[in-house]
Amino acid sequence: MASATSDPSKVSIFTGTSQQRRSGKGPRDVNYYKSEVTRLGDGSVKRETYRTDAQGNNAVKIQEVVSKDGKETSNTILSTASAGEKRGLSDSGSTLARSVKTQTGNANEKMVKNETEAAAGGQTSIGKKNAEVIAGGSGNNADNDNSESNTKPAALQSEAATEGTRNKFPNLRYPVNIANTKQDIIKFDMHEYVPSKIVGGEKQVGFSRGELGPSIGSVVLPIPSGISDQNKADWGSSSMTALDVAKVDIAKTAIFDGLSQGVDKFSSYIDKIKKNPGATADAVGTSLVAAAAGVQGQELLSRTTGQVLNPNMELLFKGPSLRPFSFKFQLSPRDKEEANEVIKIMRFFKQGGAPIRSKSNLFLKSPHIFRIKYVKMGENGELHRGLNAFKTCALQSFGVNYTPTGNYATYSDGVMVSYDITMSFSEITPIFNDDYNIDDSFIGF
């Protein structure tokens, strides 16, 4: 199920009386909005529009539109939309409707770029029409409905989650007044897991991960002590003796140049051995005898001659590594409101990091995943330049110590006076050189 999300857009909406709106004067609400486009398993396209903050976080869905075969099948304006938003979404000429149309086009372009069909030649005609319809158009400017020669079968879809699976969480913070303290914070945004897709175009072969949808909940906490990161790559020693090189050279010649050339190459190596001094010929011969007898050539050579073939040892790159991260926080609620917030924070991580059962109970789906970031000077501040950034992470463990003081102590309502929570995350994908695509004033990953 491919999806992509537009960047947030600032929109001004009239909130005054009908007469004020007609005159173009009166009070206005200024909000930010973004739209997410998703291609569903049955070929339909869904557009969801959210009210957000300036960074695109704290999203609240206000409209959902679904189109199939170039026709709108549903259009739901949710109760979370204000009166002004409902008017704007219902009027195709309004500022909000025009902004949503632009957002939908941008999100659809992102989605198509990330899909396998985009790598092989672009979007189908029906896909283009669906994208126009969910943006608020009629679909009449799309290609001919009957011209579907480029239509490709839908990718394999995972089974739906069982009833009771939670896909929406609150936005939580500790302390509850942390936004007023202006201190630096760490923010954990939860997202639904997006699986990788196979990419088999002419220029790229491998896997491509689609963009994450909007945040389904978040937790804001003070930056803890003891934070660190460690970037690693997997390097290991490798050996290849002259005999190994000769075998590779013979095999390569036989495969790429033909069997007869391979035989000639083998003969040339035999001639070289015969022309070398007796000690060299004996050493190579001993290695060949060992190979024929099924024993270690270097060991036999060392036992019989006191020497080994030069292993030509070298440290070689073997692959990337995934970075782990651990955090520890002490949560000590000071009143009933903060106690409720602390309990919800622990529930947020425990439930969000749990595997998800499919409806048939035949499969287990991936738990939700997290985007983590350090933020400078409060919740709505900028990305912290002096600390590392994170790629999307999976929560691998979450632990709670209910008696961090060593004694059992509760408030009158049963809430513990303090909790120690520990979290272990690991990035889902490795760090690559081209990931450092921000300016040098940031540490980056």
Side-chain angles (χ1 to χ4, degrees), residues 218-281:
S218 65
V219 167
V220 170
L221 296 169
I223 294 181
S225 60
I227 57 175
S228 64
D229 70 351
Q230 188 173 27
N231 291 36
K232 296 191 301 182
D234 186 10
W235 290 76
S237 62
S238 178
S239 301
M240 183 173 284
T241 67
L243 191 58
D244 295 326
V245 174
K247 289 187 289 186
V248 169
D249 190 19
I250 293 168
K252 181 181 177 182
T253 302
I255 291 172
F256 290 99
D257 298 331
L259 185 59
S260 59
Q261 284 82 353
V263 173
D264 292 341
K265 177 72 71 171
F266 175 76
S267 299
S268 68
Y269 275 107
I270 295 299
D271 290 340
K272 290 179 182 178
I273 293 171
K274 290 179 179 179
K275 292 176 182 178
N276 271 292
T280 302

Side-chain angles (χ1 to χ4, degrees), residues 146-353:
N146 297 320
S147 177
E148 297 186 51
S149 59
N150 291 326
T151 301
K152 299 183 182 295
L156 290 175
Q157 301 295 321
S158 61
E159 187 180 334
T162 187
E163 293 183 10
T165 297
R166 190 172 185 181
N167 292 317
K168 292 293 181 183
F169 292 78
N171 296 315
L172 306 167
R173 51 194 49 81
Y174 173 87
V176 293
N177 65 338
I178 193 170
N180 300 326
T181 65
K182 301 300 181 184
Q183 65 177 302
D184 299 347
I185 57 100
I186 182 171
K187 186 174 184 182
F188 302 86
D189 274 302
M190 189 189 298
H191 296 262
E192 292 186 75
Y193 180 82
V194 178
S196 298
K197 289 193 168 188
I198 297 175
V199 176
E202 293 181 0
K203 297 182 179 180
Q204 182 183 8
V205 176
F207 293 92
S208 174
R209 186 175 297 277
E211 291 189 8
L212 295 179
S215 171
I216 60 174
S218 65
V219 167
V220 170
L221 296 169
I223 294 181
S225 60
I227 57 175
S228 64
D229 70 351
Q230 188 173 27
N231 291 36
K232 296 191 301 182
D234 186 10
W235 290 76
S237 62
S238 178
S239 301
M240 183 173 284
T241 67
L243 191 58
D244 295 326
V245 174
K247 289 187 289 186
V248 169
D249 190 19
I250 293 168
K252 181 181 177 182
T253 302
I255 291 172
F256 290 99
D257 298 331
L259 185 59
S260 59
Q261 284 82 353
V263 173
D264 292 341
K265 177 72 71 171
F266 175 76
S267 299
S268 68
Y269 275 107
I270 295 299
D271 290 340
K272 290 179 182 178
I273 293 171
K274 290 179 179 179
K275 292 176 182 178
N276 271 292
T280 302
D282 288 344
V284 174
T286 300
S287 297
L288 293 174
V289 169
V295 298
Q296 289 291 333
Q298 293 279 52
E299 291 182 4
L300 181 60
L301 188 61
S302 180
R303 284 176 181 272
T304 57
T305 67
Q307 60 185 0
V308 295
L309 292 173
N310 182 356
N312 296 307
M313 183 175 289
E314 185 178 354
L315 188 68
L316 299 179
F317 174 66
K318 293 184 178 295
S321 295
L322 297 172
R323 296 192 302 177
F325 294 94
S326 296
F327 304 99
K328 182 177 182 178
F329 302 89
Q330 185 173 62
L331 310 180
S332 301
R334 298 165 294 180
D335 52 38
K336 188 173 182 62
E337 179 188 4
E338 202 160 77
N340 291 333
E341 198 83 352
V342 166
I343 289 173
K344 290 177 181 177
I345 287 172
M346 291 187 289
R347 176 68 174 268
F348 174 94
F349 289 109
K350 282 175 173 282
Q351 189 171 11

Side-chain angles (χ1 to χ4, degrees), residues 377-416:
M377 298 299 290
E379 184 176 353
N380 295 319
E382 63 178 12
L383 188 67
H384 204 304
R385 293 171 175 262
L387 293 174
N388 65 281
F390 301 86
K391 281 196 164 185
T392 304
C393 293
L395 178 60
Q396 294 193 300
S397 68
F398 180 82
V400 181
N401 182 356
Y402 297 93
T403 56
T405 62
N407 297 299
Y408 174 76
T410 71
Y411 292 111
S412 59
D413 59 359
V415 176
M416 307 301 294

